[in-house]
Amino acid sequence: MTRLIVNIFKDSRNIYGQRKIKKELEKLGWTVSRRRIGRMMKEQGLVS
């Protein structure tokens, strides 16, 4: 899951934040809360 979030973030050229990443994950069939996405982004040091 974390790897998927990092890939989406990198593919967006480090622009996408929690909301847009959530939309992309929903397109792929994943249901993840924005808080969890934010936590994972913070753990990985990702800042949009």
Side-chain angles (χ1 to χ4, degrees):
M1 173 58 65
T2 304
R3 194 175 301 162
L4 190 57
I5 290 173
V6 171
N7 287 341
I8 292 170
F9 184 77
K10 297 290 183 193
D11 290 345
S12 74
R13 297 182 315 252
N14 304 348
I15 293 173
Y16 281 12
Q18 297 171 359
R19 289 185 177 115
K20 287 186 179 179
I21 289 176
K22 180 176 171 71
K23 293 271 186 190
E24 291 297 318
L25 288 172
E26 286 174 353
K27 287 180 190 174
L28 298 172
W30 290 88
T31 304
V32 187
S33 72
R34 276 186 32 221
R35 288 182 186 214
R36 176 167 286 174
I37 293 169
R39 237 186 348 260
M40 290 180 178
M41 287 178 71
K42 192 172 187 176
E43 288 171 3
Q44 298 299 313
L46 305 177
V47 179
S48 60

